[in-house]
Amino acid sequence: AAAAAAATSIPTPSSSSSAAAASSSKDSLATQQHVQLQVLRAQLLEQIRVGITDLRVRSERADGASSIYASLCANSTSLQNHSSRLTQALADVNTNVSILQDRIREAETYLKAMNDVTLNVDQDLSAAAPLHRQIVDLIADDCAINDTIYELRKLLHDGKVELGPFLKTVRALSLRQFTVRALLRKCRRVARLD
């Protein structure tokens, strides 16, 4: 019995080649399954990587869209405030326009009334007392002399008047102006205007 058991346990050349073939087919089957698992694993990892990249892009787009939305909301508030200020300014302008139109109508009415009145400038500007009339005339003379001397200086500067006649005329006007100013000072003192 022991010899039979030993005989079955000793591999024969034909049984050892079939066992090796079975073992080899198991190993190749295991290797093929291992390769298929590796391929599936690689495909799954690639799909996960693509999915994560897609999620990142969508997240960035969503963040960008939310920041744009926040900016639009802030701008909307700013535009509403600006619109209310413009509405108030428009109301103020309309009020001012109506006030100005009323003033224009009043001025036109006043001008029509003034066109019917004849003005005598000499009577309206004349002073009541003779002393006051004399003061007004003296002030007018003083201003006229100043204007004349100024114009003579311009003519001399432009070369239209020679120096000799210029000096004689200015000397005569200065003497007249001195007399006018002295008389004006005396009249103002008498009228108690100083």
Side-chain angles (χ1 to χ4, degrees):
T8 55
S9 66
I10 296 175
T12 61
S14 69
S15 72
S16 82
S17 71
S18 72
S23 171
S24 166
S25 79
K26 283 183 186 178
D27 285 344
S28 84
L29 183 62
T31 304
Q32 285 177 352
Q33 288 176 348
H34 182 69
V35 168
Q36 287 176 348
L37 282 174
Q38 290 296 329
V39 168
L40 287 174
R41 181 174 178 236
Q43 288 175 349
L44 184 61
L45 286 175
E46 180 64 23
Q47 287 176 354
I48 290 172
R49 187 186 62 76
V50 168
I52 288 173
T53 304
D54 188 42
L55 284 175
R56 282 186 187 150
V57 168
R58 287 182 184 182
S59 174
E60 289 172 0
R61 286 181 185 166
D63 290 344
S66 66
S67 67
I68 290 172
Y69 178 74
S71 173
L72 288 175
C73 287
N75 287 341
S76 173
T77 305
S78 173
L79 286 174
Q80 288 172 349
N81 291 340
H82 190 65
S83 174
S84 65
R85 285 194 305 265
L86 286 176
T87 303
Q88 180 61 39
L90 181 63
D92 293 344
V93 166
N94 287 335
T95 302
N96 289 337
V97 165
S98 66
I99 290 171
L100 287 174
Q101 287 173 343
D102 292 342
R103 298 277 193 238
I104 288 171
R105 277 188 237 110
E106 289 174 10
E108 287 173 348
T109 305
Y110 179 74
L111 286 175
K112 285 179 185 176
M114 291 305 295
N115 285 337
D116 297 339
V117 175
T118 57
L119 296 176
N120 188 349
V121 177
D122 292 332
Q123 286 179 351
D124 292 338
L125 292 180
S126 66
L131 182 61
H132 293 135
R133 262 185 260 133
Q134 185 179 8
I135 290 172
V136 168
D137 290 339
L138 289 171
I139 290 173
D141 285 347
D142 185 38
C143 290
I145 292 170
N146 275 339
D147 290 344
T148 305
I149 292 173
Y150 173 77
E151 290 298 325
L152 281 172
R153 263 191 257 149
K154 279 180 36 181
L155 290 173
L156 177 68
H157 185 279
D158 292 341
K160 296 180 180 176
V161 173
E162 293 182 13
L163 184 61
F166 169 78
L167 290 175
K168 285 182 184 177
T169 307
V170 168
R171 183 173 183 260
L173 287 172
S174 298
L175 182 62
R176 171 81 179 127
Q177 190 175 34
F178 177 79
T179 307
V180 166
R181 287 183 179 176
L183 187 57
L184 179 62
R185 179 174 285 158
K186 186 175 182 181
C187 289
R188 289 179 64 93
R189 205 175 312 123
V190 171
R192 296 186 181 154
L193 297 173
D194 281 337

